[in-house]
Amino acid sequence: MTRPLPSGGQERPAGTQPLASRRERVKVARKWAYLVSSTTYLPLSHDQIERELLGLLDRLLEAVAGDRPATESAAEVGAELVRLHCVGKTSLQCTVDVLAAALLAPADSGSADRLPERVARLLGALASGYVEAIRSAAVEQRDTSDQALLNAVRESQREWRASEAQLDEIFLGSPSGIAVTGLEGQLIRTNLALHRILDRASSEVDGGTLFDFVQEADRQLLKDGYRDLRDGKIDRLRSRPRFVTKDGDPFQATLIASLLRDSHGYVTIVTDDAELALLQNQLRHQLLHDMLTGLPNRQFFSTHLEHVLHLPNPATLYHVDLDGLSLVTDGLGRKAGDSLLRTAADRLRSVVAGENAMVARFESGKFGILIEKSASTPDIVTMIERINETLSEPVYIDGKGLAVTASFGVVEDLPRNVEPAELLRSADLAMRRAKSKGPGRWERYDPVWDNRTRESIGLVAAMPGAWENGELGIGYEPLVRLADGEIVGAEARLRWEHPELGLLPKERYLELAERTALIGALGAWLVKRGWTDKVAGGGAGMPLLVPLTPNQLADPRLAGTIRGILDSVAPAPDRLWLGLPAGALLVAGHEIVDNTRLLADLGIAVVLHNFGVTPGELALLEDLPVHAIRLDSRLMWQAVDKESMVLAGAKTMIALVRQAGITVLAGDLETSAQARWWQRAGAELGMGPLFTGDEGPATDIGSLIGGGRAGPLQGR
C-alpha cells in the first residue's frame, strides 16, 4: 500500500515520512522557535514565530520526501529565516541542530537507508539560501547607506553654496566698509562701501594694506591692536583711527576687527562716523516727529514743555482737537483725512509763525500748541479766533472743498510746580468740556471742575473692583400713596459705600458708568437682587420699581434676562415695574422701543421716568404700553408756585394721563407742601427725600414691606 508524496512526483512506502503527525511537527516548531528567539530579537510574538516556523518545517518535510530532495525549496526556507530576522550569531546553528534531529528520525527505521544524504543536501541548501539572503541584505543596506551619505554630501554642498551666496550678498551690499586682510594687513578682499569711505577706486585699493590709508600718527597704534588680536590678548579690536582721503583730508571712522577662524587673517568693518551721526540724527528725528505732518510728536512736545517750565517767561498751553475730522475720514476715505490733517498742521504753524511757539500732533486730530508769551502775543480769545478762522477756509481735495473747526482746552500762565504730563492732562480735560458744548468752543482749565471730573473718572475706573469687593450694594426708597401716606411699594437703587468718600450719590458715577461695559451687568444684578430680596422679605404682592439706563434698555438680551430672573425666583411680572427714561425713548433707536414692547408683553409694568409736558412725551403714551409715569424733577421744584404756567399745563396733562388709565408718580418730593400740591393736582403716588429721611434709602427692604404710614404725611 503506497500513497502520493506532496512533491517530487515520487512514491514512498507508507509510514516512512518523518514527523508524519501534526502534533510532532508542532512540537518541533515550538522547540525551534524557542531556541532561535534566544539568539536574537525577533519583532514578532511567540505565537507568530511558532506559526511561521511551522510553515517552514512543513515545506522542508515536503522537500525531503523523495529520492531527489527539492533543494530550491530548502534554499527559499533559509532566505525566509533571514526575512524573519533570525540572524543572530547562533541562529543558523540552532536551526540546523533542530532540523537535523527532526528530519533524521524516520517513522520506519527500515526505510532510512538514504535519508541522511537527503537531509544533508537539504540543510546545505538551506544554509546556502540563508547566507545568500544575508549577503543580499548587507549589500542592499550598504547601497542604501551609500546613497544616504551621497545625498547628505550633496545637501551639505548646496547649503554651503547658499550660505556663501548670502555672505557675498551681505559683503557686497553692506553700507559699511568690509575688508578681509592678511596677518600683515594686506588687503585680500574689499567691498565697494570701503572704496567709497576711503575715497579710492578699486584699483587704488587692491594690492595695498589697510594701514596705507590711516593717518601716520594713528598707524602704529592700529598695528599694535591687530597684533594683540592675533596673539589672543583681546577677542575683538575696536578703534577709531583717523583715515586720509585721496585729497589728503583726514576723517575719523569706527573700525571693528575680528580674527578669522583659520587665524590666517582678519575681517574688518569700517564705518564713517559722519554717516553714522547723520543716520542717528535721522532716526532721532523720526522718533520725535509725526510721520504724517512732520510736526513734533507728544514725546518731543512733553520734553519741550518741561524745558519751558524752567524759564521765567509765562507760557500758554493749548490742546486742540479738530471737529468733524472723523466725518471726512469715514465719508471720503483715509487718504482725504490725511490730506486734511497735513493742511491743518501747516495752517496751525502759520498762525503762530511770529511767536516763540511749538506745534505738535498728538494723535488723530489732536494737536498741542505751546506759546511763550511776549509783549506782542495775542490774548487767548484772539489766538483761538485766528486759528478757527484759518482752519475754516476750505481746502480742495479731490475736487471737494473741505474745512474744519477746532475745540480748545487752555491752560494759561503755566504753573511751575506741576509735571508736564499733568498739564497736558488738564488741557485735555478742558478740551473735552469745551467739545461737549459744541464745535468751535474753548474752555480754560478749571481746577475745581478738573478735580471733580478726575474723581468721577477714577470712580468709574474703580467700579469693577468695588463690585467685586462688595462695596456696591442696593438701597430701597418707599413708594407712597399720597392720599393716605401708606407705603405701597419700593424703588431699588444702586448704592455705593466708598471706603474713603462714604456713601456716594448715584449721579456721581452712573452717568459715566453708562459709557462702560459694566452698566449692563449692573442692571441685571440690580433687578435680580431687588426681586430676590422682595420675595424673601414677604413682599411678593408689593410692586418693585427698578430704573434702567438707555444702554441697559438697548441690550437685546434684556427681556430674556429679566424673564429668567422672574422664573427662577417668583413669576409675578406685573409686580415688577421697570423705569425707562422718557427722554431716551424720544431719540431711541428701534432696539429700545422693541425691548420696551417685549417687556410689556411679558406682563412687566413700564414706567416712564422724568416725564414732562412736551407733545413728544405725550405721544409716547399712545405708541407704547405704559403703566405709569414719573414726573420730571423740574416740575417738583416749582410745585408751590401755583401761578406757574408750567404747573397749569402739568395739571391738565395729569388729568389726560389718568383718563388713559395711567398712574401718575411724583418723584423727588422734598417737602410736605410739594406732596400736598401734587396730590391735589392728581398725582397718586409719591417718593423722594421727604419719605426717606436723613438716613437715606433703606438697605433692608423688610423695613418697608408690610405697609405702614410715611411719617411726614401723617396728619397733613
Side-chain angles (χ1 to χ4, degrees):
M1 182 72 179
T2 61
R3 62 181 178 180
L5 292 175
S7 64
Q10 303 292 326
E11 292 186 353
R12 285 182 64 82
T16 63
Q17 183 179 0
L19 305 177
S21 70
R22 176 174 175 78
R23 181 177 179 183
E24 292 176 339
R25 296 198 304 276
V26 170
K27 184 176 180 181
V28 172
R30 184 173 294 123
K31 180 178 180 181
W32 188 8
Y34 171 76
L35 292 176
V36 170
S37 297
S38 64
T39 64
T40 186
Y41 167 75
L42 299 179
L44 298 172
S45 67
H46 192 74
D47 290 342
Q48 290 175 319
I49 297 171
E50 282 190 15
R51 286 196 297 271
E52 292 286 347
L53 295 185
L54 179 60
L56 297 181
L57 179 60
D58 288 342
R59 290 173 63 181
L60 288 174
L61 289 174
E62 293 175 1
V64 79
D67 294 334
R68 295 181 179 180
T71 54
E72 291 183 1
S73 180
E76 291 174 358
V77 170
E80 188 67 15
L81 287 174
V82 175
R83 186 190 66 79
L84 293 173
H85 299 283
C86 301
V87 292
K89 290 183 178 180
T90 58
S91 297
L92 181 59
Q93 179 181 343
C94 293
T95 296
V96 171
D97 290 345
V98 171
L99 295 178
L103 298 177
L104 288 173
D108 184 355
S109 57
S111 61
D113 53 342
R114 298 184 61 188
L115 184 61
E117 178 184 347
R118 292 194 299 273
V119 170
R121 292 179 63 187
L122 285 175
L123 292 181
L126 183 148
S128 176
Y130 182 90
V131 172
E132 179 60 23
I134 288 182
R135 187 193 68 79
S136 298
V139 171
E140 182 179 356
Q141 183 177 8
R142 184 190 63 196
D143 290 345
T144 302
S145 299
D146 290 346
Q147 186 62 42
L149 180 60
L150 180 60
N151 291 339
V153 170
R154 289 174 177 171
E155 181 65 19
S156 177
Q157 290 175 341
R158 188 192 65 79
E159 292 179 355
W160 177 81
R161 286 193 296 270
S163 177
E164 189 176 49
Q166 290 175 354
L167 289 176
D168 285 342
E169 184 67 24
I170 294 172
F171 186 87
L172 297 174
S174 173
S176 299
I178 303 177
V180 177
T181 65
L183 291 178
E184 301 303 323
Q186 63 274 23
L187 294 170
I188 299 173
R189 189 181 182 190
T190 57
N191 68 349
L192 292 177
L194 182 63
H195 304 161
R196 178 179 51 79
I197 292 173
L198 297 178
D199 191 28
R200 302 294 202 285
S202 175
S203 58
E204 296 175 289
V205 174
D206 295 341
T209 69
L210 188 62
F211 308 118
D212 296 339
F213 307 101
V214 176
Q215 204 171 50
E216 188 174 355
D218 295 344
R219 198 171 296 164
Q220 188 57 48
L221 183 63
L222 185 61
K223 289 182 178 180
D224 293 341
Y226 275 100
R227 185 170 55 253
D228 291 342
L229 182 62
R230 181 195 61 193
D231 295 341
K233 295 181 180 180
I234 56 176
D235 294 330
R236 182 172 297 175
L237 172 62
R238 295 178 180 271
S239 180
R240 297 184 70 241
R242 287 168 295 179
F243 286 82
V244 181
T245 67
K246 186 176 181 179
D247 297 332
D249 297 326
F251 67 93
Q252 197 160 37
T254 298
L255 181 149
I256 302 175
S258 298
L259 193 64
L260 290 173
R261 184 173 298 178
D262 56 9
S263 300
H264 295 318
Y266 310 94
V267 59
T268 302
I269 299 176
V270 180
T271 306
D272 189 348
D273 286 357
E275 292 185 354
L276 182 60
L278 179 61
L279 178 60
Q280 289 174 339
N281 289 336
Q282 291 175 345
L283 292 175
R284 186 180 297 109
H285 183 273
Q286 293 177 5
L287 181 65
L288 298 176
H289 288 76
D290 173 54
M291 297 296 292
L292 178 64
T293 63
L295 293 176
N297 59 16
R298 181 185 287 271
Q299 181 180 352
F300 193 178
F301 190 83
S302 300
T303 303
H304 180 65
L305 176 58
E306 184 175 14
H307 169 72
V308 170
L309 291 176
H310 292 87
L311 300 178
N313 295 334
T316 302
L317 172 63
Y318 297 82
H319 191 115
V320 186
D321 188 11
L322 300 183
D323 302 317
L325 177 65
S326 61
L327 297 178
V328 175
T329 303
D330 295 342
L332 301 178
R334 182 62 177 269
K335 183 178 179 181
D338 288 348
S339 297
L340 187 59
L341 274 171
R342 284 191 288 266
T343 300
D346 293 338
R347 291 181 175 182
L348 289 175
R349 275 188 293 214
S350 69
V351 172
V352 299
E355 303 293 333
N356 188 6
M358 173 182 281
V359 181
R361 183 189 177 211
F362 294 160
E363 68 273 334
S364 187
K366 292 182 172 60
F367 296 83
I369 302 176
L370 181 62
I371 301 177
E372 300 176 51
K373 288 185 179 181
S374 65
S376 60
T377 300
D379 58 37
I380 295 173
V381 176
T382 302
M383 181 62 70
I384 290 176
E385 288 178 349
R386 288 181 182 177
I387 292 175
N388 266 332
E389 182 180 353
T390 303
L391 290 176
S392 61
E393 295 178 7
V395 54
Y396 287 87
I397 300 173
D398 296 333
K400 299 177 178 64
L402 307 177
V404 292
T405 58
S407 300
F408 300 83
V410 183
V411 182
E412 192 175 13
D413 296 331
L414 301 180
R416 308 297 175 175
N417 58 344
V418 181
E419 292 293 326
E422 284 299 309
L423 291 174
L424 289 171
R425 185 181 178 192
S426 297
D428 178 58
L429 289 174
M431 182 273 297
R432 294 186 190 184
R433 182 157 47 97
K435 207 168 184 68
S436 67
K437 297 179 179 180
R441 302 293 190 92
W442 69 277
E443 289 287 341
R444 278 190 177 91
Y445 162 64
D446 182 349
V448 176
W449 186 90
D450 185 45
N451 290 335
R452 185 166 58 246
T453 302
R454 293 188 188 204
E455 185 178 279
S456 297
I457 295 174
L459 288 173
V460 173
M463 281 188 76
W467 192 15
E468 181 74 19
N469 297 331
E471 295 174 20
L472 292 183
I474 191 170
Y476 299 97
E477 295 187 20
L479 187 61
V480 178
R481 188 165 54 221
L482 294 180
D484 55 11
E486 291 292 332
I487 298 175
V488 296
E491 180 185 44
R493 291 276 189 174
L494 193 65
R495 175 188 174 93
W496 189 349
E497 189 75 33
H498 196 278
E500 298 176 1
L501 303 177
L503 184 62
L504 300 177
K506 64 180 183 302
E507 292 79 8
R508 295 196 63 186
Y509 50 86
L510 281 184
E511 180 180 353
L512 289 174
E514 178 75 354
R515 306 175 192 172
T516 69
L518 183 63
I519 193 68
L522 280 174
W525 175 81
L526 188 64
V527 172
K528 184 173 184 179
R529 171 71 181 276
W531 192 252
T532 303
D533 287 353
K534 183 181 81 76
V535 173
M542 184 180 73
L544 178 71
L545 174 59
V546 182
L548 297 179
T549 68
N551 273 340
Q552 291 167 347
L553 286 172
D555 188 349
R557 301 165 296 180
L558 177 64
T561 299
I562 292 180
R563 181 168 56 187
I565 293 172
L566 294 175
D567 292 343
S568 65
V569 181
D574 61 320
R575 298 291 85 194
L576 177 61
W577 295 6
L578 293 181
L580 317 180
L585 288 170
L586 288 174
V587 296
H590 64 86
E591 298 92 349
I592 292 181
V593 175
D594 291 346
N595 271 346
T596 301
R597 291 196 174 99
L598 283 174
L599 293 172
D601 291 342
L602 292 176
I604 296 169
V606 174
V607 180
L608 296 187
H609 277 194
N610 298 326
F611 194 88
V613 294
T614 66
E617 290 172 317
L618 291 173
L620 288 175
L621 302 182
E622 297 182 1
D623 296 338
L624 297 173
V626 177
H627 175 77
I629 62 169
R630 176 175 174 171
L631 298 175
D632 194 317
S633 300
R634 291 171 296 178
L635 298 177
M636 302 301 104
W637 301 334
Q638 303 177 43
V640 294
D641 184 5
K642 300 177 179 56
E643 304 301 324
S644 171
M645 293 179 61
V646 175
L647 290 177
K651 198 169 183 179
T652 303
M653 179 268 297
I654 290 176
L656 294 174
V657 170
R658 292 194 61 179
Q659 286 178 6
I662 297 174
T663 302
V664 178
L665 167 63
D668 299 314
L669 294 175
E670 297 180 351
T671 66
S672 298
Q674 289 176 335
R676 289 192 295 270
W677 193 96
W678 282 108
Q679 193 270 331
R680 288 194 298 270
E684 302 162 83
L685 304 176
M687 59 187 306
L690 174 64
F691 308 112
T692 58
D694 296 335
E695 296 81 8
T699 57
D700 179 16
I701 196 174
S703 61
L704 305 179
I705 293 175
R709 287 181 176 271
L713 287 181
Q714 294 181 22
R716 67 183 186 283

